[in-house]
Every structure is written in structure tokens, then in C-alpha cells.
Amino acid sequence: MDKWTPSLVEARLAEAAFVLKRLPEPRRQGYFSTWPEIVHSFADKVGQEPKPMRVLPSPQAISRMEETLTWTACLDPVDGKIVWMRAHGERWKTICWTVGLQRSAAHQHWLYGLCVISLKLNRRRFNRNLSKRRVIELAGGA
């Protein structure tokens, strides 16, 4: 990427969250069953819900997800939590209850987190003592 914007960062975080959801559950080593596999007849399957098909993510998507997971390390814990909850598709009401902020303040923390990540990815230097509004203007997120 030549130029990272907050909207590109948001899309990449959402993709990483989607890839995390699609990864298979980790299995414990050493546990197995010696029982034979149960073969269901048609009559057994009539009332059952179909099993959802799991599509595994591609290796490139997993690599992008692993790169994206390190992006929130430079953020404050509250900002990182808001950014990840929003990437996972959580509603603002749930986010506000979790972090204890009003909707407008939570939105500003989210936008600030995206702007800090985009500035870091563009390797632009900025003073951490700047206000949130000034950092958002500097990154072009407003």
C-alpha cells in the first residue's frame, strides 16, 4: 500500500475479524474416540438442521490477518478494544456499555484509533500530545 487511509485500515481490520471467525477451532492433542463413526439414515436426518459449511480462509488472507493483529499494539487499551469490537461488527450500544463511554466519545476514540494506525503505517511522525481532533485532521479521517 502506498497510502493508508482510515477507511482502508477499517476495511482491513474487518477482513481480519472475518478471517478469525472462519478459522477452525483448535483441537487438543491426545484426545480421540475409539467409537466407530455413526452412519445416519435418511429417516434420522429428516428433522435435523443442516450443518453449516465452513469455508476455510486462504493462506494470503491468514497472512494479512496476522499482520493486522499487530496494528492495535500502539493504541491505548480502550481505543484498541473499541477498534476491534467495531471490526467484529458490534453495535455502538454494546461498545458503549462495555467501555463506559457515550456514543460520540466512543466514535471519536474509534476514529482516533484508525487514524493513529494509518499514520503509523504511512510512517508519518506525529506528536502523541496532540489532541484527538488534531490527529484525526492530520490523518485525513474527518
Side-chain angles (χ1 to χ4, degrees):
M1 266 298 146
D2 293 337
K3 178 98 168 112
W4 286 94
T5 62
S7 60
L8 289 174
V9 171
E10 177 187 7
R12 188 75 171 273
L13 286 167
E15 180 197 14
F18 183 65
V19 169
L20 276 174
K21 286 180 190 176
R22 291 190 320 181
L23 286 176
E25 293 292 323
R27 294 185 178 196
R28 290 190 171 178
Q29 296 291 334
Y31 291 97
F32 60 93
S33 175
T34 57
W35 284 80
E37 189 68 30
I38 299 173
V39 180
H40 296 282
S41 67
F42 178 75
D44 293 334
K45 293 183 180 182
V46 168
Q48 292 182 357
E49 292 288 327
K51 287 186 180 178
M53 188 174 88
R54 275 193 97 120
V55 179
L56 296 177
S58 67
Q60 294 84 10
I62 294 174
S63 297
R64 287 192 303 271
M65 183 251 334
E66 288 173 345
E67 176 191 355
T68 306
L69 289 177
T70 62
W71 289 357
T72 57
C74 63
L75 299 177
D76 292 335
V78 172
D79 297 339
K81 187 172 199 138
I82 292 171
V83 165
W84 271 115
M85 287 180 77
R86 195 67 190 143
H88 281 282
E90 290 290 333
R91 294 178 20 200
W92 280 112
K93 191 172 200 175
T94 309
I95 293 170
C96 293
W97 285 343
T98 305
V99 296
L101 293 172
Q102 290 183 352
R103 164 75 167 77
S104 58
H107 184 268
Q108 188 175 24
H109 279 268
W110 171 71
L111 192 55
Y112 172 75
L114 294 178
C115 290
V116 167
I117 292 171
S118 67
L119 288 173
K120 291 276 187 185
L121 291 174
N122 290 330
R123 290 190 169 91
R124 288 188 58 192
R125 304 183 118 219
F126 67 98
N127 189 353
R128 293 292 265 185
N129 294 331
L130 292 174
S131 67
K132 286 182 174 34
R133 186 170 306 275
R134 180 70 180 120
V135 171
I136 292 169
E137 290 171 2
L138 187 65

mmCIF file of all heavy atoms in Angstrom, residues 18-28 54-58 62 65:
data_model
loop_
_atom_site.group_PDB
_atom_site.id
_atom_site.type_symbol
_atom_site.label_atom_id
_atom_site.label_comp_id
_atom_site.label_asym_id
_atom_site.label_seq_id
_atom_site.Cartn_x
_atom_site.Cartn_y
_atom_site.Cartn_z
ATOM 1 N N PHE A 18 -13.164 -11.118 10.182
ATOM 2 C CA PHE A 18 -13.911 -12.136 9.449
ATOM 3 C C PHE A 18 -13.079 -13.407 9.277
ATOM 4 O O PHE A 18 -13.592 -14.520 9.412
ATOM 5 C CB PHE A 18 -14.337 -11.568 8.093
ATOM 6 C CG PHE A 18 -15.181 -12.501 7.282
ATOM 7 C CD1 PHE A 18 -16.443 -12.862 7.723
ATOM 8 C CD2 PHE A 18 -14.714 -13.027 6.095
ATOM 9 C CE1 PHE A 18 -17.239 -13.723 6.980
ATOM 10 C CE2 PHE A 18 -15.494 -13.892 5.345
ATOM 11 C CZ PHE A 18 -16.752 -14.238 5.791
ATOM 12 N N VAL A 19 -11.788 -13.249 9.018
ATOM 13 C CA VAL A 19 -10.897 -14.411 8.885
ATOM 14 C C VAL A 19 -10.779 -15.135 10.223
ATOM 15 O O VAL A 19 -10.787 -16.369 10.279
ATOM 16 C CB VAL A 19 -9.511 -13.977 8.350
ATOM 17 C CG1 VAL A 19 -8.497 -15.100 8.469
ATOM 18 C CG2 VAL A 19 -9.625 -13.531 6.907
ATOM 19 N N LEU A 20 -10.691 -14.387 11.319
ATOM 20 C CA LEU A 20 -10.623 -15.011 12.647
ATOM 21 C C LEU A 20 -11.857 -15.850 12.940
ATOM 22 O O LEU A 20 -11.768 -16.902 13.562
ATOM 23 C CB LEU A 20 -10.468 -13.941 13.728
ATOM 24 C CG LEU A 20 -9.055 -13.452 14.003
ATOM 25 C CD1 LEU A 20 -9.084 -12.293 14.986
ATOM 26 C CD2 LEU A 20 -8.183 -14.559 14.530
ATOM 27 N N LYS A 21 -13.029 -15.374 12.491
ATOM 28 C CA LYS A 21 -14.259 -16.132 12.711
ATOM 29 C C LYS A 21 -14.273 -17.427 11.908
ATOM 30 O O LYS A 21 -14.865 -18.412 12.329
ATOM 31 C CB LYS A 21 -15.482 -15.299 12.310
ATOM 32 C CG LYS A 21 -15.818 -14.198 13.268
ATOM 33 C CD LYS A 21 -17.042 -13.445 12.771
ATOM 34 C CE LYS A 21 -17.277 -12.188 13.571
ATOM 35 N NZ LYS A 21 -18.393 -11.401 13.037
ATOM 36 N N ARG A 22 -13.646 -17.412 10.725
ATOM 37 C CA ARG A 22 -13.688 -18.583 9.853
ATOM 38 C C ARG A 22 -12.620 -19.621 10.162
ATOM 39 O O ARG A 22 -12.668 -20.720 9.624
ATOM 40 C CB ARG A 22 -13.537 -18.152 8.394
ATOM 41 C CG ARG A 22 -14.723 -17.406 7.887
ATOM 42 C CD ARG A 22 -14.683 -17.193 6.413
ATOM 43 N NE ARG A 22 -13.343 -16.866 5.934
ATOM 44 C CZ ARG A 22 -13.045 -16.619 4.677
ATOM 45 N NH1 ARG A 22 -13.973 -16.668 3.777
ATOM 46 N NH2 ARG A 22 -11.831 -16.317 4.311
ATOM 47 N N LEU A 23 -11.643 -19.295 10.984
ATOM 48 C CA LEU A 23 -10.606 -20.269 11.304
ATOM 49 C C LEU A 23 -11.206 -21.427 12.100
ATOM 50 O O LEU A 23 -12.107 -21.234 12.912
ATOM 51 C CB LEU A 23 -9.484 -19.615 12.119
ATOM 52 C CG LEU A 23 -8.554 -18.689 11.354
ATOM 53 C CD1 LEU A 23 -7.568 -18.049 12.313
ATOM 54 C CD2 LEU A 23 -7.823 -19.430 10.268
ATOM 55 N N PRO A 24 -10.702 -22.654 11.885
ATOM 56 C CA PRO A 24 -11.239 -23.785 12.646
ATOM 57 C C PRO A 24 -10.834 -23.716 14.113
ATOM 58 O O PRO A 24 -9.829 -23.097 14.470
ATOM 59 C CB PRO A 24 -10.619 -25.003 11.952
ATOM 60 C CG PRO A 24 -9.416 -24.484 11.266
ATOM 61 C CD PRO A 24 -9.697 -23.047 10.923
ATOM 62 N N GLU A 25 -11.637 -24.343 14.940
ATOM 63 C CA GLU A 25 -11.354 -24.380 16.372
ATOM 64 C C GLU A 25 -10.088 -25.209 16.617
ATOM 65 O O GLU A 25 -9.879 -26.231 15.964
ATOM 66 C CB GLU A 25 -12.525 -25.010 17.131
ATOM 67 C CG GLU A 25 -13.787 -24.189 17.100
ATOM 68 C CD GLU A 25 -13.654 -22.907 17.886
ATOM 69 O OE1 GLU A 25 -12.994 -22.922 18.938
ATOM 70 O OE2 GLU A 25 -14.207 -21.902 17.435
ATOM 71 N N PRO A 26 -9.246 -24.798 17.564
ATOM 72 C CA PRO A 26 -8.058 -25.606 17.847
ATOM 73 C C PRO A 26 -8.459 -26.918 18.517
ATOM 74 O O PRO A 26 -9.387 -26.960 19.326
ATOM 75 C CB PRO A 26 -7.239 -24.727 18.798
ATOM 76 C CG PRO A 26 -8.213 -23.772 19.374
ATOM 77 C CD PRO A 26 -9.296 -23.578 18.353
ATOM 78 N N ARG A 27 -7.766 -27.978 18.152
ATOM 79 C CA ARG A 27 -8.059 -29.294 18.730
ATOM 80 C C ARG A 27 -6.983 -29.642 19.737
ATOM 81 O O ARG A 27 -5.815 -29.336 19.555
ATOM 82 C CB ARG A 27 -8.082 -30.355 17.637
ATOM 83 C CG ARG A 27 -9.215 -30.169 16.671
ATOM 84 C CD ARG A 27 -9.244 -31.315 15.719
ATOM 85 N NE ARG A 27 -10.371 -31.152 14.803
ATOM 86 C CZ ARG A 27 -10.831 -32.123 14.066
ATOM 87 N NH1 ARG A 27 -10.271 -33.306 14.095
ATOM 88 N NH2 ARG A 27 -11.848 -31.912 13.267
ATOM 89 N N ARG A 28 -7.408 -30.314 20.788
ATOM 90 C CA ARG A 28 -6.456 -30.757 21.792
ATOM 91 C C ARG A 28 -5.764 -32.024 21.312
ATOM 92 O O ARG A 28 -6.405 -32.929 20.780
ATOM 93 C CB ARG A 28 -7.151 -31.037 23.111
ATOM 94 C CG ARG A 28 -7.640 -29.800 23.778
ATOM 95 C CD ARG A 28 -8.079 -30.115 25.169
ATOM 96 N NE ARG A 28 -8.337 -28.876 25.871
ATOM 97 C CZ ARG A 28 -8.776 -28.833 27.096
ATOM 98 N NH1 ARG A 28 -9.014 -29.939 27.757
ATOM 99 N NH2 ARG A 28 -8.984 -27.682 27.681
ATOM 100 N N ARG A 54 -18.303 -24.794 6.451
ATOM 101 C CA ARG A 54 -17.229 -23.890 6.827
ATOM 102 C C ARG A 54 -16.255 -23.766 5.675
ATOM 103 O O ARG A 54 -15.686 -24.741 5.236
ATOM 104 C CB ARG A 54 -16.483 -24.424 8.035
ATOM 105 C CG ARG A 54 -17.119 -24.051 9.337
ATOM 106 C CD ARG A 54 -16.144 -24.347 10.426
ATOM 107 N NE ARG A 54 -15.431 -23.151 10.778
ATOM 108 C CZ ARG A 54 -15.457 -22.628 11.984
ATOM 109 N NH1 ARG A 54 -16.126 -23.205 12.924
ATOM 110 N NH2 ARG A 54 -14.791 -21.547 12.241
ATOM 111 N N VAL A 55 -16.084 -22.561 5.204
ATOM 112 C CA VAL A 55 -15.109 -22.291 4.160
ATOM 113 C C VAL A 55 -13.867 -21.734 4.843
ATOM 114 O O VAL A 55 -13.927 -20.688 5.496
ATOM 115 C CB VAL A 55 -15.659 -21.285 3.133
ATOM 116 C CG1 VAL A 55 -14.630 -20.995 2.071
ATOM 117 C CG2 VAL A 55 -16.938 -21.817 2.524
ATOM 118 N N LEU A 56 -12.769 -22.448 4.700
ATOM 119 C CA LEU A 56 -11.537 -22.006 5.341
ATOM 120 C C LEU A 56 -10.936 -20.840 4.578
ATOM 121 O O LEU A 56 -11.005 -20.790 3.355
ATOM 122 C CB LEU A 56 -10.540 -23.161 5.403
ATOM 123 C CG LEU A 56 -10.974 -24.354 6.249
ATOM 124 C CD1 LEU A 56 -9.932 -25.457 6.179
ATOM 125 C CD2 LEU A 56 -11.192 -23.938 7.692
ATOM 126 N N PRO A 57 -10.334 -19.889 5.290
ATOM 127 C CA PRO A 57 -9.726 -18.740 4.606
ATOM 128 C C PRO A 57 -8.463 -19.160 3.849
ATOM 129 O O PRO A 57 -7.818 -20.154 4.187
ATOM 130 C CB PRO A 57 -9.398 -17.778 5.747
ATOM 131 C CG PRO A 57 -9.364 -18.599 6.968
ATOM 132 C CD PRO A 57 -10.256 -19.768 6.737
ATOM 133 N N SER A 58 -8.114 -18.374 2.864
ATOM 134 C CA SER A 58 -6.925 -18.667 2.067
ATOM 135 C C SER A 58 -5.663 -18.327 2.863
ATOM 136 O O SER A 58 -5.711 -17.530 3.811
ATOM 137 C CB SER A 58 -6.954 -17.857 0.773
ATOM 138 O OG SER A 58 -6.808 -16.481 1.059
ATOM 139 N N ILE A 62 -4.951 -15.272 5.701
ATOM 140 C CA ILE A 62 -4.409 -15.527 7.042
ATOM 141 C C ILE A 62 -3.158 -14.683 7.270
ATOM 142 O O ILE A 62 -2.952 -14.130 8.358
ATOM 143 C CB ILE A 62 -4.140 -17.021 7.238
ATOM 144 C CG1 ILE A 62 -5.467 -17.793 7.235
ATOM 145 C CG2 ILE A 62 -3.377 -17.276 8.531
ATOM 146 C CD1 ILE A 62 -5.312 -19.292 7.271
ATOM 147 N N MET A 65 -4.230 -11.211 7.943
ATOM 148 C CA MET A 65 -4.825 -11.148 9.280
ATOM 149 C C MET A 65 -3.737 -11.103 10.345
ATOM 150 O O MET A 65 -3.818 -10.328 11.287
ATOM 151 C CB MET A 65 -5.735 -12.357 9.499
ATOM 152 C CG MET A 65 -6.460 -12.364 10.814
ATOM 153 S SD MET A 65 -5.963 -13.558 12.080
ATOM 154 C CE MET A 65 -5.252 -14.904 11.272
#
